[in-house]
Structures are given as C-alpha cells and as structure tokens.
Amino acid sequence: MPEVRELTYAEALRECLRQLMEEDERVFLIGEDIGVYGGAFGVTAGLIEQFGAERVIDTPISEAGIAGACIGAALTGMRPIGEIQFMDFVTLSMEQLVLQAAKVRFMFGGKASVPMVLRMPGGSGTGAAAQHSESLENWFVHVPGLKVVMPSTPYDAKGLLRAAVLDNNPVIFVEHKLLYKTKGHVPEEPYIVPLSQSKVVREGEHLTVVATSIMVPRALQAAEELAKEGIELEVIDPRTLKPLDDAPIIESVKKTGRALVVHEAVEMGGFGGEIVARIAASEAFDYLEAPIRRLAGLDIPIPYNRELEYHAVPQVESILREARKLVRGEY
Amino acid sequence: MMQLSQDLIQRYHDLIETLGPEALKTMLQEMHTIRAFEERAEQLYMQGKVHGTMHLSIGQEATAVGAANAMQEGDYLLNHHRGHGHCMAWSGDPNRMMAEFMGKETGYCRGRGGSMHIADIDANNLGANGIVAGGIPIAVGVGLSIKMRRTSQVCLVIFGDGAANEGAFHESLNMASIWALPIVFLCENNQYAMSMPVEKAFNIENISQRAAAYGLPGLTVDGNDVLAVYSAVSEAAARARRGEGATLVEAKTYRYKGHSKSDKQAYRSREEVRDWQDKRDPILRFTNLLQLAGVIDAAEATQMREHALAIIDAAVAFSEASPDPNIADIMDGVYA
C-alpha cells in the first residue's frame, strides 16, 4: 500500500501558495513579516527565497494599506494574496474591506472585479489573550460582496485556498492558529475544493453537528467518544461560510431530527444563529425532535489565564455534554 | 488686474505655446461643461427630480481639468465624493454621468452608484469614493500593480483636505514612498472638510509639507489656476513615469456651494464666498488669460458657455428618456 502523503495545515497552505505563484505571475503575497521571517506562523517560510521580494512583499505595520494594496492591485489585473498577521488586526482594515473591496463591483454597475484573498489566523488557545485571539468571521459574513472561507483540515486548506485565489471576488480566508500544526493527507498536485460546498465529514443518525474551523476536529473527537455510547453524530463542516451551501445541513437534520451548531466565536450575533435560522425556516423543521442548540464562545473577551481561556470556548467535553443532552432529550 | 494677467502670460508663455490653442480651448470648454453639469444637477435636485444627495465642486474646476489633462491615455484615476469634475475631465460622457446622477440604467454604474460613485472602468477611471481617504490605499495597490506589470502607467489619486487627516493617508504615502510607486497624490484643498476649516484642522500652513515626513516631494499650487495645476501634475506624473516615485501635490481651491444639499454654511461668511467668486474664479481667470493671449475672443468665450449648456441639455434629455433599472436585476453585480 502506498504511503499516504501527509502535510501540516501550514505546509498545505504554503504548497498551495507556491504552486499558484509558479503558475501565474500575477499572483503575489503581501503582508507583515512574510518575507525572511516567513510569517508570524511560518506559512510563507521559504517563499521569498524562491520568488523574491517583489512577489513576497513585506509591508510596514499598515493594515489598511495592506488591504488597499490588495484591492488596487486586484482592480488592475493582479491576483494579490494578503496576510493579516492576526485576525484581530483586520479591524484596522475594515473600511477597505467592507466599504471598498466588497462594494466596488456592485456600486460601479458590475463592471469591476476584485480578485483578492486576505488570509488571517483567528482563534484562541495560544495564551495570546484578548487582542490576539479573536474570531471575527461573522463580521465579514454580514457583508454582501465578500466571501468567507474557513478550512478545518490540511486537505481543505490547500484546495480552498486555490479556489479562493482563482475566484474573481474578495475572499476572507480564515485560518486557525491551533490548526497550523495539525497533519492530514494532502496530494501534491494542485486541486480545488470548490467554494460554497458544505461537507459531511462524518455520517451519523442521531444528531447533526455543524462545526467550523477548530471545532470540526473537536466535534469529530466527541463523535468517536459518543459512538462508544451508541450515539452517532453527523458532523458537517460548511467550509465556506459565505455564500453558504445549506442544503447538506438541511438534508442532514431531516435525517437526524436534531441539530447542534458549534463555533468558537461568541454566540451572540455569531454564525450559529444563521445556521439555526436556516434549519428552522426549512423543511427540516417538521423533522425536529429537539430544540436546535448552539455551542459557542462565551460573550467575553478571550482571557489570558490558561484555564479561563480553555473555558471561554467550546471544547470536546462541552460538545459531549451538549450532544448527550440533545440526543437523550435532557434539555 | 490687467498687469496681473500680463504677468501670467509671461509666466505661462512656454506652456501656452506647448499646449497650443486647441488643447487650451478644450480645457476651458471642459471647465464650462463641468460647471454647467453641476449647476443643472443642483437645479434638478431643487426640482425634486433627483433622489439622492450630491456634492458640488463649482469653483474647483481648474483642479479637475488641470490634473486630468496632465495625465496620459492608460493612466488610472481614483477620486473622491466631490468628483463630477474629475470624471468629466477624465473623458467622462456627460450623458452617462447625468444618467447615473438621475439613477438610470444607462448611467455609468447602471444607477447603482449615483453622484458619489461614478466610475468609468473602461477608461481606467476606478471610481469616486464616498469614504474620505478611501481611495488612497487603493492607489497604493494600483501603483504596485503598475510596477509589477512593468508598464509606464501612472495612478492619479485625488482626495480632499479632510482626507489628509485620516490614517489611511499616512499609511499610503509611506508605502508609496518606500516602494517608489508611480502615483500622483493630489490633495484638493477646498478649505473645508464639511464645516471644519483647514486652519483649525491642521497646524501647518500647507498640507504638502506632510510629504517630507515620508520622504516624498511635496508642493502647493494655486488650485484655481488650471495651468498651475496642469504643470504641477504633469511634472509629478513625469517623475512617476521615470520610475522616481510618488509626489504629493496640494491644489488650494474653494467650493462655492455647501458640502452637500443640507448645508446651511453657518461656518463661513457670504463675503468670503463672494470674494473667491469675484476675485479668483477659475473659469473667469482662464478665460481672461486665453483672451489676453489671443487664443480666444469674447465671442468664443460666450459660445463655450452656451455650448456647455447645450451639452447638458442633451444629457438631461438623454437621461430623462432612459429607463430606470429593472427591479428584477437588483441582485446583479454583487459577485463576479
């Protein structure tokens, strides 16, 4: 049996970037410390050596400038891939992303396009405290004109990033710090994981769990535990949050009659609310045997203390607890 | 007045020779057409024929016309909310501009953008921006793209005095400087950021001084002198085209009308406005200059105004006869 090729999530992203840059000279990288430093999380390590400083552009600490540089270059024929060092810092780019990138095409009557990708790592779990641990994906989900992608595996990271770069729209590409070192099968040849295709990553009959990013491996781990108790979770990873492919989710809930949505971002105003609403408003409503529940970050900034940080966002144990309640009717 | 004009002829002798009578007449005609467009825009608004707001640049025509004429075919433009003049001078079609202003399907943006967001992508006019300083970081990307594609294009980005106090201005000038990007940053200083006078918003005499902080050349010109703006922007664009990087040009001008339709102008006196209108009007000044230089006579000057009015009459007729956007197409253009 041939050995299965494994890469980390960070390596998969890097391989994708390298392949895109080798194929298309319009593709370039721009961000803070992405050159000789290799990016704060090492994703771009080695790329400046291969492609030079003109295509792996280190910027000053200017997040609005990075976003604007991507927009202007995209509008004039390039395929920029920007990096925001921590997702938290994208707050400094918001005007450019929300009011410019997302709107120019519509505002100008459909005559301009902004084929750019902005990569950024979100999420907690590294002890980086409240200003380096944000999960702000739903801010972008709320903006027409943007696409939002959130891969949970090395395989999807590579394939979705390629799809995002080939897409002719501005794509917010949300990585997770804790996923960078996770390993998985990644083919060497370039491939696409299409945007807006939710994926059933585990089949099960008792409860549909819709999870994003780091919550996908946590949900899968919980599913293995629960399988021992005779509870089978069906785990769905939307992968692209916007535009959302909700059909597999609705189909799944029709089968299981129960749904739990899990994400790291705070519950209030989070993406989970959208999933719950879509289920509740769909034909799956008639199949529900239990309330639809959300499991999400507490409505607090991410604390520094390890124990506090751990308890601020869903973990395997909390997924287990919530899943059992829903399946056993103990809500 | 006459002596002053003679001095001007002396000063601009070479430029008048180089540009030649046709180019000079075109510039004056453009200024008239812009003014006629905006006067009509205001009138249409008063008549209740226009649904949105507008920002009129009456009094600032020299900056738009001087700058746009200093650029070449293939160059890029990014401009700001008070942008009718820039678009018109950048080869804008008055019919499609007026149609956009009136929200029609035949407008530059199919009625989706309106007065504040006119773009002409086919002419590399990347659009007017409703966010103060919003276009400046985008210009950095355009400059970067030009550099990476190794073309000889230049990006002209026009913004107001208010924009120079936004963070994006500072980030962008710095990035343009460290990468020697082919950008002309044109600060159209019309003395007021809505109601905030430049004297209160800045503790420096000239906004162009800020260029020095980023290692860029900066200069201030009389924004009501079309040839002064033309010269400064030409020079800056030539510098950019030679690979020597960006320049900050400040054009000092004045808006005669309020910030937008709701402005009661409590922050300035009528005398101040009248003073600019009487003594520094860009169209009157350029007309006088061209008459003294023998490029046009009084009859031609009058004809230009009449021609402008006729162009705008036709634009209004075109727009009024144009269809509104189809509601069934409301989702068009959100995604490519």
Side-chain angles (χ1 to χ4, degrees):
Chain A
M1 200 176 126
E3 204 175 309
V4 175
R5 183 175 185 267
E6 285 208 330
L7 291 182
T8 66
Y9 185 94
E11 287 165 345
L13 290 167
R14 187 184 312 133
E15 186 166 86
C16 177
L17 295 173
R18 175 176 287 124
Q19 289 171 343
L20 286 163
M21 291 177 81
E22 283 169 346
E23 288 166 32
D24 186 347
E25 60 179 17
R26 297 172 304 165
V27 177
F28 71 95
L29 312 183
I30 182 166
E32 293 159 8
D33 309 295
I34 63 169
V36 288
Y37 194 100
F41 294 91
V43 173
T44 56
L47 296 178
I48 194 168
E49 284 79 3
Q50 184 177 347
F51 299 103
E54 197 183 312
R55 293 181 69 198
V56 181
I57 304 171
D58 272 325
T59 69
I61 311 300
S62 302
E63 286 81 8
I66 293 167
C70 288
I71 297 165
L75 277 169
T76 53
M78 302 297 284
R79 314 285 301 193
I81 306 173
E83 177 176 308
I84 297 293
Q85 198 162 66
F86 285 77
M87 187 180 205
D88 313 64
F89 310 160
V90 82
T91 52
L92 295 155
S93 320
M94 288 309 271
E95 182 276 317
Q96 287 291 304
L97 297 173
V98 175
L99 302 175
Q100 310 296 338
K103 296 192 171 34
V104 290
R105 181 174 179 82
F106 182 85
M107 210 160 67
F108 298 159
K111 285 170 202 151
S113 61
V114 187
M116 64 174 274
V117 174
L118 199 60
R119 298 176 36 247
M120 61 196 79
S124 65
T126 65
Q131 296 174 334
H132 290 70
S133 305
E134 288 273 22
S135 298
L136 301 176
E137 59 275 9
N138 216 43
W139 287 20
F140 300 105
V141 168
H142 202 62
V143 180
L146 297 180
K147 293 191 175 185
V148 183
V149 176
M150 240 180 147
S152 68
T153 67
Y155 182 92
D156 283 350
K158 182 175 172 184
L160 285 168
L161 182 56
R162 186 173 177 83
V165 174
L166 299 181
D167 196 88
N168 283 325
N169 296 285
V171 180
I172 305 298
F173 195 88
V174 185
E175 300 161 9
H176 197 291
K177 299 175 197 87
L178 297 184
L179 289 174
Y180 281 133
K181 289 181 180 164
T182 59
K183 283 193 162 185
H185 171 54
V186 177
E188 189 170 357
E189 68 276 7
Y191 60 90
I192 279 173
V193 171
L195 302 185
S196 297
Q197 276 192 14
S198 295
K199 186 182 183 190
V200 178
V201 292
R202 185 188 195 279
E203 290 189 18
E205 57 189 314
H206 298 121
L207 170 66
T208 300
V209 176
V210 181
T212 58
S213 191
I214 188 74
M215 295 303 156
V216 177
R218 286 183 191 165
L220 289 171
Q221 207 182 321
E224 293 309 307
E225 284 293 312
L226 291 168
K228 296 173 196 161
E229 301 169 22
I231 299 173
E232 295 294 340
L233 302 189
E234 179 142 298
V235 180
I236 301 181
D237 178 359
R239 304 190 292 189
T240 299
L241 273 52
K242 184 187 184 76
L244 174 67
D245 168 28
D246 60 10
I249 297 168
I250 288 159
E251 277 311 302
S252 174
V253 178
K254 280 164 69 179
K255 180 176 76 174
T256 64
R258 297 176 177 88
L260 173 66
V261 187
V262 191
H263 59 63
E264 174 164 348
V266 295
E267 186 173 270
M268 178 78 182
F271 187 66
E274 179 66 27
I275 301 283
V276 172
R278 298 247 187 150
I279 296 168
S282 77
E283 71 231 44
F285 179 78
D286 287 336
Y287 296 80
L288 286 173
E289 293 171 27
I292 315 166
R293 284 282 163 86
R294 286 179 291 171
L295 193 55
L298 300 178
D299 208 357
I300 59 169
I302 297 296
Y304 168 68
N305 173 275
R306 186 192 294 272
E307 282 300 306
L308 294 180
E309 183 188 33
Y310 187 84
H311 285 93
V313 303
Q315 301 293 347
V316 176
E317 303 88 88
S318 45
I319 299 173
L320 284 170
R321 213 164 37 236
E322 205 59 33
R324 286 190 188 111
K325 278 197 242 170
L326 281 171
V327 174
R328 292 174 184 162
E330 295 165 357
Y331 34 84
Chain B
M1 191 71 186
M2 195 60 92
Q3 182 55 45
L4 186 69
S5 300
Q6 289 295 353
D7 290 348
L8 272 176
I9 288 177
Q10 293 271 305
R11 191 193 315 163
Y12 289 130
H13 180 267
D14 291 348
L15 193 53
I16 287 169
E17 289 288 304
T18 314
L19 281 166
E22 288 316 305
L24 292 164
K25 283 188 214 174
T26 303
M27 287 164 83
L28 181 57
Q29 181 63 60
E30 281 174 359
M31 290 167 75
H32 275 294
T33 311
I34 292 166
R35 184 161 297 187
F37 180 92
E38 294 206 308
E39 286 171 349
R40 185 63 65 84
E42 187 177 38
Q43 192 187 1
L44 289 166
Y45 174 75
M46 298 296 202
Q47 292 168 347
K49 290 188 178 175
V50 175
H51 158 67
T53 190
M54 71 207 154
H55 303 90
L56 302 174
S57 68
I58 298 175
Q60 303 177 206
E61 296 87 351
T63 299
V65 171
N69 281 277
M71 304 304 287
Q72 293 179 5
E73 180 99 27
D75 287 344
Y76 292 101
L77 171 70
L78 288 152
N79 62 317
H80 57 77
H81 60 284
R82 200 175 304 285
H84 300 147
H86 315 135
C87 180
M88 186 84 78
W90 196 270
S91 75
D93 172 358
N95 289 2
R96 297 184 68 198
M97 284 181 65
M98 188 60 83
E100 187 58 36
F101 180 60
M102 296 181 79
K104 301 293 187 160
E105 181 70 24
T106 53
Y108 268 115
C109 307
R110 301 178 60 201
R112 271 71 170 174
S115 160
M116 206 166 13
H117 304 300
I118 303 181
D120 181 4
I121 301 298
D122 296 332
N124 286 355
N125 170 356
L126 302 179
N129 212 301
I131 303 301
V132 173
I136 309 179
I138 299 174
V140 170
V142 176
L144 203 53
S145 158
I146 292 169
K147 207 171 175 193
M148 294 176 88
R149 289 184 285 108
R150 294 186 168 77
T151 68
S152 61
Q153 294 160 295
V154 174
C155 179
L156 169 68
V157 55
I158 311 177
F159 49 89
D161 43 286
N165 281 334
E166 289 278 9
F169 165 87
H170 299 271
E171 289 189 21
S172 302
L173 262 68
N174 184 55
M175 290 167 99
S177 176
I178 59 172
W179 297 328
L181 300 181
I183 302 173
V184 179
F185 292 99
L186 176 58
C187 179
E188 186 171 19
N189 174 359
N190 69 5
Q191 313 303 324
Y192 293 93
M194 200 158 156
S195 70
M196 183 68 161
V198 288
E199 299 81 35
K200 287 188 183 170
F202 296 83
N203 196 17
I204 49 176
E205 197 186 337
N206 294 317
I207 294 170
S208 64
Q209 288 168 247
R210 290 193 170 169
Y214 305 103
L216 293 176
L219 73 159
T220 295
V221 296
D222 179 349
N224 280 13
D225 177 347
V226 66
L227 295 184
V229 176
Y230 175 88
S231 300
V233 174
S234 295
E235 211 167 293
R239 190 174 169 270
R241 244 180 273 284
R242 289 195 302 268
E244 293 167 24
T247 304
L248 173 61
V249 179
E250 176 190 15
K252 288 193 176 178
T253 179
Y254 195 82
R255 77 167 140 78
Y256 294 170
K257 300 288 177 174
H259 162 72
S260 65
K261 65 191 188 190
S262 62
D263 186 355
K264 295 185 180 68
Q265 304 185 58
Y267 49 87
R268 65 181 181 185
S269 66
R270 281 169 191 227
E271 291 69 35
E272 180 186 297
V273 181
R274 209 170 298 129
D275 191 63
W276 278 84
Q277 287 174 321
D278 293 347
K279 296 186 186 142
R280 281 172 274 189
D281 182 76
I283 294 180
L284 284 179
R285 282 170 62 181
F286 195 39
T287 304
N288 287 342
L289 177 68
L290 294 190
Q291 280 185 241
L292 275 162
V295 176
I296 57 168
D297 56 28
E300 273 179 290
T302 311
Q303 271 168 18
M304 281 185 176
R305 167 72 179 169
E306 281 162 8
H307 183 51
L309 293 173
I311 290 171
I312 301 308
D313 281 342
V316 173
F318 169 83
S319 304
E320 287 184 330
S322 291
D324 280 325
N326 190 339
I327 293 166
D329 299 334
I330 194 168
M331 299 299 290
D332 282 5
V334 181
Y335 292 101

